[in-house]
Amino acid sequence: MSRYTYPVALLLSITCATGALAQAEPLKIGVPTSQTGPYAALGEQVIRAIEFAAAEANAAGGVDGRKVEVKIGNDEGNPEVGRRAAEKLATEGHKILIGSISSAVGLALSTQLNRWDAIYVSVVNKTPKLTGDSCTPRTFRANHSDDMDIAIVAPWLAESETKKWAIIGADYVWGRGSGAAFKAAATKTGKSITTELYAPLGTADFAPYITQLRDSGAEGLWVALAGSEAINFAKQAKQFGLVDKMTVFGHNFVASSIIKAVGTDAVGFWGNVNYSASIKTPNNEKFVAAWRAKFNADPTEYEGEAYSGMQAIFEAAKKAKSAKASDIAKAFSGLTAETVYGPVTMRAADHQLEMPNYLGRVAEKDGKPVIQVVRSFDSKAATPPPSGECKM
Amino acid sequence: MLTNALNGLVYGSLLFVLSSGLVLVYGLRRVVNFSHGALYMLGAYIGYSIALRYGFTAGVLAGGIALGLVGIVLDLLVFRNLSDRNPLVTVIVTFGVFLVLEDIVKSVWGTQNYTLDPPAALAGVVEIGGNPFPAYRLFIIGASFLMAMILVVWLKFGRTGLFVRAASVDPSVAAMCGVRTDLLGPAVVGLGAAFAGFSGIIAAPFLSLHPAMGSEILVLSFVVSVIGGLGSFVGAFVSAMLLGQMQAFGTVYMPELASLLPFLLMSFILIWRPQGLGGRSA
């Protein structure tokens, strides 16, 4: 008998220990994002960062002792498919939803959150509607809205000598919204808009648009295209010689995944930079070091944003002392959390995270394009007040 | 005006080369090949990888030849068994092939975008009517017309071309006359796939490479074949050119309707002439 005593005791102690850990209800995260479709490359980055954040938290003993469980769904970049994917995740208990790429998907999810008893934390959706007329007590945006990007573009635009501008955007809620916001900012600073063009999603050949932009006589160009469309446009515009003489500002264009594909043809393009590995906060330096150790590369913009969204969720769960979506929603509203951006606050009025933002430009270094942050704006300058359209 | 017409011509000729592959396969095998978009994508990716190492010409050849081989394998394994099945079965099976190839591309090359620069000799612009026009786009028009000419000459005047036409009309009578129809199948499907591969790699310097590129273009190439009449080269040519011009002028004069125009035209043709522009009535 005696020779069994020790192993049995060991076994018992192990079961007891794991039993104690399992008592805390796990924090179940659902990620309805684009695994296929035009935004698959962005979805891949978001998934990588979310899984990284979860693994890091679990290695440190979980969030307040709660294990973080992540489950991925596929929204295919389509609101209806996204709604179904999120519903499946929510019914399986993954009620903390995060990570949709398309704004249209984010808006579709936010209408269903009460029914699913879930919350949705945007880390990529930019449409002002999400924190405007379509806001809900269960919807949160932990990334920059279009309005925030425009808020930092306006001072730059006022100083710019380029007078006549043209707009090319993707023909859906985000592209149209971005174009309209730029138009308003441009008119306010005394610039004129000569042409506004919106290309349907899935446009591959931009030649007819490029010809019109060239004929418009504009000196500056606002580009609100995403994913492969942004890349195709930039390459083709360069081949037509369109962008050589123009000031080009790409909304969400100056991002590693796009610049890498476009190559040196993007040199000189201006853009908002929503996250950069070069942000100087202790939190970010720690994150970048851990990321480099694992992936041997700097985190991209989308990876940094998704990671920071997870940091905010973890802080909210700690404050709520609960893994239940409704408790986390209550704790999240008005929460000040330490993230890669430094201390940021989830504004209670419309659930927009007040955070810093950056303006950058593509430069050439050793024959390769690199993103340089030209100006930083603190949370106060970067976050315009609530639009007043949000009634929770 | 002129630049617009040229823009339409570029896209139209690319669509034509792509859909002639569909037409070839349908003509002989009566298989509506839904995997065609994936073949186009695979050609682009293989050509891209080769072009990076051995130059653009090698990439174009590799894209075409590799896809020719893929086509031969596809015919022996899949299409041969599909030729007298229910059309719905062929649609499901070839769509399955499409998904498999798309996943292969994703696991080998990943989901990120790639772009290929045009070869140095074609990288510049040419002045046309006082406006710069990319030389590479003119090359696309030239290359597509060359491929179309070779195909037409071969089918009309070549001995094997005659066999293909004979087997398309009636395989059993052609076989009785001594045509080796069992060899024609792999050859024609291989050629169709090679056309898809060629158009993929030729498109690479102006359309970036990404895993959704196959499904994006598949729809349009089907619209081309349906409007032209499945199995008709002349029809496919006319409808590809028509679609290219519609795209170019539609986005200028009717931007709200531009993306709908191809489908409106298709519906109209299907009502007015269900067999398509160049199709024979059944």
Side-chain angles (χ1 to χ4, degrees):
Chain A
M1 264 317 261
S2 66
R3 67 190 172 118
Y4 292 112
T5 320
Y6 180 66
V8 166
L10 189 69
L11 200 67
L12 264 175
S13 64
I14 289 171
T15 17
C16 290
T18 44
L21 229 176
Q23 269 173 6
E25 201 189 330
L27 190 63
K28 292 174 113 176
I29 314 270
V31 190
T33 191
S34 293
Q35 291 178 292
T36 57
Y39 299 144
L42 305 187
E44 191 179 38
Q45 298 172 52
V46 166
I47 292 170
R48 195 180 297 132
I50 288 172
E51 287 180 338
F52 177 84
E56 192 184 53
N58 286 338
V63 174
D64 238 2
R66 295 173 197 283
K67 189 165 179 277
V68 182
E69 291 176 10
V70 174
K71 190 157 187 192
I72 316 285
N74 188 2
D75 71 13
E76 299 174 22
N78 174 321
E80 183 45 35
V81 181
R83 193 192 54 73
R84 280 202 303 271
E87 182 158 302
K88 187 160 181 288
L89 289 166
T91 42
E92 287 165 356
H94 292 264
K95 291 181 193 283
I96 319 287
L97 300 169
I98 179 174
S100 289
I101 309 294
S102 159
S103 283
V105 177
L107 287 171
L109 301 191
S110 65
T111 59
Q112 307 291 321
L113 296 169
N114 267 331
R115 196 159 72 77
W116 299 335
D117 183 28
I119 67 166
Y120 171 62
V121 182
S122 154
V123 287
V124 183
N125 307 156
K126 294 225 158 199
T127 174
K129 294 169 84 64
L130 202 64
T131 45
D133 59 6
S134 302
C135 73
T136 82
R138 289 169 176 269
T139 309
F140 300 87
R141 181 180 357 236
N143 61 300
H144 304 86
S145 67
D146 283 339
D147 289 346
M148 292 175 72
D149 291 333
I150 298 293
I152 65 165
V153 169
W156 174 83
L157 198 60
E159 288 166 22
S160 164
E161 284 173 14
T162 311
K163 292 265 179 294
K164 285 193 276 183
W165 286 79
I167 296 171
I168 171 107
D171 195 2
Y172 78 108
V173 59
W174 170 70
R176 291 250 172 203
S178 164
F182 176 76
K183 191 178 181 180
T187 332
K188 225 177 266 173
T189 48
K191 320 279 178 189
S192 64
I193 304 288
T194 57
T195 310
E196 282 178 83
L197 301 175
Y198 293 96
L201 277 181
T203 299
D205 185 11
F206 282 93
Y209 299 96
I210 292 168
T211 315
Q212 290 181 72
L213 291 170
R214 187 184 59 203
D215 297 344
S216 74
E219 306 153 332
L221 179 61
W222 177 262
V223 183
L225 297 167
S228 21
E229 284 158 19
I231 294 165
N232 278 344
F233 176 78
K235 283 299 261 194
Q236 294 170 15
K238 181 77 183 178
Q239 287 169 2
F240 268 93
L242 175 76
V243 291
D244 297 341
K245 293 175 213 120
M246 275 182 149
T247 310
V248 181
F249 194 106
H251 191 183
N252 303 339
F253 183 92
V254 180
S256 317
S257 51
I258 293 180
I259 300 304
K260 207 171 134 197
V262 177
T264 47
D265 285 355
V267 168
F269 282 26
W270 290 87
N272 55 309
V273 178
N274 294 139
Y275 168 83
S276 162
S278 67
I279 295 175
K280 295 255 173 300
T281 63
N283 196 306
N284 188 48
E285 279 159 14
K286 189 171 151 249
F287 164 58
V288 173
W291 188 274
R292 279 184 185 150
K294 179 150 188 212
F295 298 108
N296 198 23
D298 279 348
T300 64
E301 294 69 24
Y302 293 98
E303 285 160 353
E305 289 177 277
Y307 179 82
S308 119
M310 289 291 278
Q311 287 182 313
I313 292 177
F314 293 163
E315 292 302 314
K318 277 183 205 163
K319 186 179 159 199
K321 295 200 184 354
S322 163
K324 270 177 68 182
S326 51
D327 296 340
I328 292 177
K330 271 189 213 106
F332 215 161
S333 190
L335 169 88
T336 296
E338 190 65 42
T339 67
V340 290
Y341 296 98
V344 291
T345 303
M346 181 57 76
R347 185 161 62 194
D350 61 350
H351 289 179
Q352 169 63 51
L353 195 68
E354 296 174 323
M355 61 207 292
N357 204 354
Y358 312 87
L359 208 66
R361 195 170 192 195
V362 184
E364 194 171 340
K365 197 179 163 195
D366 307 326
K368 288 213 169 83
V370 288
I371 299 170
Q372 286 176 339
V373 173
V374 180
R375 255 170 100 169
S376 305
F377 299 81
D378 62 15
S379 303
K380 211 172 156 135
T383 321
S387 63
E389 283 171 359
C390 170
K391 307 265 184 290
M392 273 193 215
Chain B
M1 258 326 243
L2 185 63
T3 324
N4 264 329
L6 273 176
N7 284 335
L9 202 56
V10 173
Y11 206 56
S13 26
L14 186 72
L15 282 177
F16 170 65
V17 175
L18 188 63
S19 10
S20 43
L22 273 178
V23 170
L24 264 177
V25 174
Y26 184 82
L28 189 77
R29 279 278 183 234
R30 292 287 180 272
V31 165
V32 178
N33 180 14
F34 267 82
S35 66
H36 206 65
L39 299 174
Y40 159 85
M41 170 166 65
L42 196 60
Y45 274 92
I46 292 177
Y48 165 81
S49 295
I50 300 292
L52 281 191
R53 275 186 206 107
Y54 306 104
F56 185 74
T57 319
V60 172
L61 290 176
I65 293 168
L67 264 290
L69 296 175
V70 171
I72 292 172
V73 173
L74 263 184
D75 184 66
L76 294 177
L77 291 182
V78 185
F79 292 174
R80 170 164 298 191
N81 302 318
L82 285 178
S83 47
D84 29 85
R85 290 290 190 86
N86 181 332
L88 195 61
V89 176
T90 66
V91 166
I92 292 171
V93 171
T94 56
F95 191 65
V97 173
F98 176 93
L99 293 178
V100 169
L101 290 177
E102 202 175 59
D103 268 0
I104 290 176
V105 164
K106 264 190 229 165
S107 50
V108 175
W109 284 278
T111 54
Q112 69 266 49
N113 284 266
Y114 296 100
T115 58
L116 185 65
D117 284 322
L122 298 170
V125 290
V126 179
E127 288 278 326
I128 293 179
N131 286 318
F133 195 79
Y136 188 78
R137 287 182 177 248
L138 295 177
F139 164 75
I140 293 182
I141 302 178
S144 308
F145 273 79
L146 185 70
M147 281 161 79
M149 286 308 292
I150 293 175
L151 193 65
V152 168
V153 168
W154 174 64
L155 281 175
K156 284 273 175 211
F157 304 107
R159 196 170 159 74
T160 42
L162 177 72
F163 292 166
V164 171
R165 280 188 293 144
S168 310
V169 175
D170 195 326
S172 37
V173 173
M176 273 192 276
C177 297
V179 174
R180 299 278 307 269
T181 44
D182 51 337
L183 287 183
L184 278 182
V188 166
V189 176
L191 193 66
F195 266 65
F198 271 128
S199 44
I201 180 62
I202 283 178
F206 84 109
L207 308 178
S208 74
L209 275 63
H210 56 99
M213 66 186 285
S215 45
E216 274 173 15
I217 202 120
L218 179 71
V219 178
L220 271 184
S221 62
F222 267 108
V223 173
V224 168
S225 331
V226 170
I227 292 177
L230 290 163
S232 158
F233 283 103
V234 180
F237 179 79
V238 172
S239 78
M241 291 304 146
L242 205 60
L243 239 61
Q245 296 304 332
M246 272 179 125
Q247 192 103 346
F249 284 94
T251 50
V252 180
Y253 298 108
M254 290 176 261
E256 288 82 13
L257 279 180
S259 53
L260 268 180
L261 285 176
F263 304 101
L264 286 177
L265 180 67
M266 183 171 76
S267 325
F268 174 70
I269 294 282
L270 283 177
I271 294 166
W272 170 64
R273 202 180 148 82
Q275 70 273 34
L277 288 176
R280 283 173 229 117
S281 47

